[in-house]
Amino acid sequence: MITYLGEHTLAGQLGHGLTLASAAFALFATLSFLLAALGTDDGWRKAGRLAFRVHSIAVLGIVVTLFVMLFNHWFEFDYVWKHSNREMPLRYIASCFWEGQEGSFLLWTFWNVVIGNILLWRNGSRRSAGWESPVMTVFALVQLALATMLLGIYVFDVRIGSSLFLLIRELQENAGLPWTRLPDFLERIPQFRD
């Protein structure tokens, strides 16, 4: 096992874990709101609200993790390496957030979270609003679909989406290349410094 020098793998693990949590809680929110829409039990609606809020926190964590990676120029991550460089002014580094496909999905996810939480807040604790469970079922389902795009899962041999937190050396096209066996490739190879 090779111990790579200079990699910020904790950020990648945190981001990937938050993405998994986001998907899991979006799934739970979808099922809870669906059951609330089909039945009269208010417990499912409350569970859906809680799950959607935890999903929202996970999405905010993903956003913060990505910004930290971009602003610190951690080029060992494929997304950062492909979409930013050290010469960029700060405003352009901030826009790298949504420049790639994965970042665009994250931006959609973020704004969907904002709108979903506004809807939950506007409804408050009123039981008379019969629209909350059906509408939030759709919102949570959309969030689940977007989360799968951020996970980069494989369905049979087809990859759906891509992770923001993939290391360059983990990419399929780089598997087995000689530089992937160098523990200090980030320092040795100038292309990975910028």
Side-chain angles (χ1 to χ4, degrees):
M1 175 137 189
I2 300 172
T3 302
Y4 292 93
L5 305 174
E7 285 188 337
H8 300 89
T9 54
L10 184 60
Q13 292 167 351
L14 174 65
H16 189 68
L18 287 168
T19 306
L20 286 171
S22 166
F25 282 100
L27 175 63
F28 186 71
T30 301
L31 296 174
S32 296
F33 282 124
L34 178 63
L35 290 172
L38 295 175
T40 58
D41 184 15
D42 199 42
W44 284 115
R45 184 179 65 87
K46 289 178 182 176
R49 285 174 150 252
L50 178 63
F52 195 84
R53 288 195 174 110
V54 173
H55 162 75
S56 301
I57 291 168
V59 168
L60 287 175
I62 297 167
V63 168
V64 168
T65 303
L66 180 58
F67 272 123
V68 167
M69 289 167 33
L70 286 167
F71 289 136
N72 287 305
H73 306 291
W74 291 345
F75 295 118
E76 63 265 30
F77 293 100
D78 182 55
Y79 190 83
V80 177
W81 190 76
K82 284 181 179 172
H83 301 289
S84 70
N85 65 54
R86 293 185 189 275
E87 299 295 316
M88 285 182 163
L90 188 60
R91 66 182 177 269
Y92 295 130
I93 291 176
S95 69
C96 290
F97 170 80
W98 63 80
E99 197 262 330
Q101 177 186 13
E102 303 90 341
S104 294
F105 284 128
L106 182 57
L107 184 66
W108 296 347
T109 303
F110 172 77
W111 285 117
N112 239 3
V113 158
V114 169
I115 293 169
N117 279 296
I118 289 171
L119 289 173
L120 290 176
W121 173 73
R122 291 284 295 152
N123 188 45
S125 61
R126 290 179 275 166
R127 290 180 172 211
S128 61
W131 58 265
E132 179 182 336
S133 295
V135 169
M136 290 308 296
T137 300
V138 174
F139 258 82
L141 184 61
V142 168
Q143 291 297 92
L144 177 61
L146 289 170
T148 60
M149 298 306 282
L150 294 174
L151 281 172
I153 61 173
Y154 282 87
V155 177
F156 302 107
D157 289 339
V158 178
R159 187 173 86 177
I160 299 174
S162 182
S163 174
L164 292 158
F165 306 105
L166 278 176
L167 295 166
I168 288 179
R169 63 180 170 80
E170 294 175 335
L171 293 174
Q172 189 174 6
E173 60 264 23
N174 293 337
L177 293 178
W179 63 265
T180 61
R181 292 187 289 273
L182 298 172
D184 58 347
F185 76 92
L186 289 172
E187 290 299 318
R188 269 189 169 177
I189 302 173
Q191 288 87 347
F192 292 117
R193 287 188 224 126
D194 193 357

